[in-house]
Amino acid sequence: MVLWIAGAGGVGREALDVALAAGVEVAGFLDDRQAGSTVRGLPVRAPAELPPGAGYLVGIADPAARARLAGLLDAAGGHPVTLAHPRAIIAPETELAPGCLVMGGAHVSSSVRLGPHSQVHYNATVGHDTRLGARVTVYPGAHVSGAVRLEDDSTVGSGAVVLQGRTVGRAAFVGAAATVTRDVPPGTTVVGTPARPLLRRAPAPAPEGVA
């Protein structure tokens, strides 16, 4: 199998590291912004140049960009490939949907399900019976406890903890080092311990006489 990695940035290069460790040949990167250049000695093409029938993995952290690129590459005749580092632990009765990326040092426990194009980054853990929707991201060093639900396009930041049985709603974002003790509503960013919704302060009014 020869793989193309969509995205030549940080996560894309980390995906290349996983592929090399797993003995998977990488043909090159797909990235509009860097098309025509080389990254780590590999050619970079535009995503529209994916050869028909080729395997691909989207190595981009942003869920919306991941969705857009996956749709484009599927329409071009590509098929998503799952990639797991040989030093990741993936327990029995765990399912990884097409397009998933599991990095070195990650521990995905028993009876877990990872949805399409989800990512578990290095040294993160995912507890038993947890369900990850499509395009979920668990960043480095995060710990997701058992029986958690991470809905589509949600993100768990570096070093964050999601306690047993909690739900992180669609497109929600758990900030770095936060501790989730209650369900996170869809589209909400939570920070701190215990995690609470991020409140944005209104800008202070300009002093009189200042435009």
Side-chain angles (χ1 to χ4, degrees):
M1 176 186 68
V2 178
L3 179 69
W4 288 85
I5 297 174
V11 176
R13 296 194 306 273
E14 289 178 332
L16 174 61
D17 296 340
V18 175
L20 292 173
V24 175
E25 182 181 354
V26 176
F29 293 97
L30 303 168
D31 192 312
D32 278 322
R33 290 180 297 179
Q34 300 191 54
S37 66
T38 59
V39 171
R40 297 271 296 272
L42 294 172
V44 183
R45 295 184 181 178
E49 297 180 80
L50 177 73
Y56 74 86
L57 182 135
V58 183
I60 294 176
D62 178 64
R66 222 179 300 165
R68 180 184 63 81
L69 271 172
L72 187 156
L73 297 174
D74 287 344
H79 63 274
V81 172
T82 291
L83 195 57
H85 197 287
R87 289 197 296 275
I89 296 173
I90 300 175
E93 297 184 342
T94 284
E95 301 174 17
L96 275 61
C100 286
L101 173 64
V102 182
M103 297 186 186
H107 189 144
V108 183
S109 191
S110 300
S111 305
V112 172
R113 184 179 304 146
L114 273 62
H117 304 289
S118 287
Q119 299 176 355
V120 181
H121 288 217
Y122 50 87
N123 298 327
T125 64
V126 179
H128 63 86
D129 300 297
T130 287
R131 299 289 181 266
L132 277 65
R135 300 170 301 276
V136 169
T137 309
V138 181
Y139 273 119
H143 298 293
V144 178
S145 300
V148 167
R149 299 293 182 270
L150 303 178
E151 296 183 350
D152 294 354
D153 303 308
S154 61
T155 299
V156 180
S158 298
V161 176
V162 182
L163 296 187
Q164 180 95 4
R166 300 281 70 89
T167 295
V168 176
R170 184 183 180 100
F173 192 101
V174 177
T179 303
V180 174
T181 60
R182 62 184 69 185
D183 293 349
V184 179
T188 303
T189 296
V190 295
V191 296
T193 299
R196 299 186 185 280
L198 181 64
L199 299 178
R200 298 186 182 277
R201 294 184 179 179
E208 290 186 14
V210 177

